[in-house]
Amino acid sequence: MARTPSDYSWLTASHNSPFPVAGCVTVAVGTSMPALVQAFGGDSSQEVAFPDQGDGGTPAIASFGAGDNAAVILEVDGFEGSRPEVLKAASRKGKAASIFWNVNGVVVFSCARRGKVLCSFELLDDVPEELPRSLVSLAQTALSEGVDPVAIGAAMVEKFTGEPVSRTEVENAARGYPIVQRVVGLPVTSDELTALQLPSATTVSAVLAASPERRRRVAEWATERVIDMATLTQDDAVRTVLDQFGSGEVPALTVQATLLVSTTDQRCMAAAIRLASDGGPSEERDARYWGVRYWATQALLYATHPDDVTAVLGALYCGHVASGRSDKHLSDAVALLHD
């Protein structure tokens, strides 16, 4: 018998819960535990204390089995399980779903099947059309009842995956694995950008000749430019990344920005499907609108990439596509790289 939201109130209310103020619980079906740890960028050959972090503040995850063919990943004050790149990898051979929450009251439910993210949204927002029907009634209770939205999200995770989350296993989790390589899903990989000379051979040459500091500055310039094209400059989620620019450090992709990237991807795909189906002027405008927003949010992914060559080439590529492959966009960038 499936558990109700009240059966998961212990996630945030129990003194024994490892989640004092924030956390993420992910359940995957059809993926072995080592493969799931790898999908999170974790190293299952190393062990660290959980919920403490690894050496140097490295985030750690804990895992345990659930049912015959499922596994659970726990994160304290982490959100990898809510990211589309991670969910795609975790669900490649079946299903995966997660519930993430933080100290600011943000509660995000996400689910994926066979390597495709179906839905990712804040539980206290309106229920999106793409949410699987079997989950709609549960999601609506977050808007109408005084039930903990984290508990509602956990019940949705169980409903979607068919696997409950064990309170005993969660509260007794003491060992975990460090996340050693954060999973980043880029529309064009680092190798493809340089091997295919994208967005142009001249640009690639200028980027490779520039200093790391110059590359990072131009990556931020290119990202701000495409964000402006999409009229997203004042979006709160975008600002959480843009406000980190200029520090000389690699910006971090925040939870809010992650959610924006995911929802924009879904809406862009939906608009493209409508265009292919109907093909009218309205659908064409809609597809263009979401297309520019898609490339703008993808630029945020590149801007937060630790490798400065990937960051600048990727951000410039996104802006190049969003601008209709404008030559001026690239000539301006090359001038800045040589400046």
Side-chain angles (χ1 to χ4, degrees):
M1 182 176 175
R3 302 183 193 186
T4 65
S6 61
D7 294 320
Y8 282 108
S9 60
W10 54 269
L11 272 172
T12 54
S14 169
H15 292 301
N16 293 325
S17 172
F19 311 108
V21 293
C24 187
V25 177
T26 306
V27 178
V29 178
T31 301
S32 67
M33 200 182 307
L36 185 58
V37 171
Q38 185 176 24
F40 274 70
D43 182 358
S44 57
S45 69
Q46 301 182 49
E47 276 201 353
V48 295
F50 185 85
D52 295 337
Q53 294 184 322
D55 294 339
T58 303
I61 55 177
S63 63
F64 57 85
D68 296 329
N69 192 31
V72 177
I73 291 284
L74 308 178
E75 301 173 70
V76 173
D77 202 20
F79 63 94
E80 294 299 299
S82 70
R83 297 179 56 234
E85 294 79 14
V86 173
L87 279 178
K88 287 175 183 177
S91 67
R92 196 156 287 134
K93 294 184 178 180
K95 296 179 179 179
S98 68
I99 183 66
F100 156 79
W101 66 99
N102 68 12
V103 69
N104 298 317
V106 174
V107 182
V108 177
F109 171 81
S110 308
C111 60
R113 181 187 293 117
R114 296 290 178 186
K116 178 183 177 182
V117 176
L118 304 179
C119 187
S120 184
F121 76 109
E122 285 194 46
L123 267 184
L124 298 178
D125 287 348
D126 291 337
V127 178
E129 292 181 4
E130 59 267 24
L131 183 70
R133 287 185 185 177
S134 61
L135 304 177
V136 170
S137 60
L138 267 174
Q140 288 173 335
T141 63
L143 301 173
S144 59
E145 297 180 14
V147 182
D148 178 9
V150 175
I152 293 172
M156 290 171 65
V157 169
E158 177 179 338
K159 180 81 172 176
F160 182 77
T161 62
E163 295 293 342
V165 176
S166 165
R167 177 174 181 172
T168 301
E169 293 277 16
V170 171
E171 294 186 341
N172 290 332
R175 305 297 297 172
Y177 309 109
I179 294 179
V180 295
Q181 186 170 1
R182 193 166 186 258
V183 178
V184 180
L186 302 173
V188 185
T189 67
S190 306
D191 291 341
E192 288 171 336
L193 286 164
T194 50
L196 299 177
Q197 301 283 280
L198 298 174
S200 75
T202 302
T203 308
V204 173
S205 178
V207 164
L208 295 178
S211 68
E213 295 77 17
R214 175 79 56 182
R215 293 170 191 157
R216 185 62 62 185
R217 286 200 297 273
V218 175
E220 294 177 352
W221 168 85
T223 301
E224 289 179 327
R225 190 163 182 169
V226 67
I227 289 294
D228 188 55
M229 288 181 205
T231 63
L232 283 169
T233 304
Q234 298 307 316
D235 184 280
D236 289 344
V238 172
R239 295 271 15 135
T240 64
V241 178
L242 298 188
D243 287 347
Q244 301 173 59
F245 285 7
S247 68
E249 302 294 327
V250 178
L253 189 70
T254 63
V255 175
Q256 296 95 321
T258 295
L259 186 58
L260 178 67
V261 171
S262 177
T263 55
T264 303
D265 187 2
Q266 293 166 15
R267 288 170 182 169
C268 181
M269 186 178 298
I273 291 171
R274 288 194 297 271
L275 176 62
S277 175
D278 301 322
S282 175
E283 288 74 24
E284 202 170 320
R285 284 192 301 272
D286 200 37
R288 249 193 329 264
Y289 173 83
W290 285 110
V292 173
R293 290 198 159 211
Y294 167 81
W295 288 109
T297 56
Q298 293 300 305
L300 290 176
L301 288 179
Y302 282 108
T304 57
H305 198 283
D307 176 62
D308 50 80
V309 172
T310 301
V312 64
L313 284 178
L316 286 170
Y317 176 77
C318 291
H320 186 52
V321 177
S323 67
R325 304 188 185 274
S326 163
D327 290 336
K328 187 175 186 312
H329 173 75
L330 295 185
S331 62
D332 288 347
V334 170
L336 287 171
L337 287 162
H338 286 153
D339 192 9

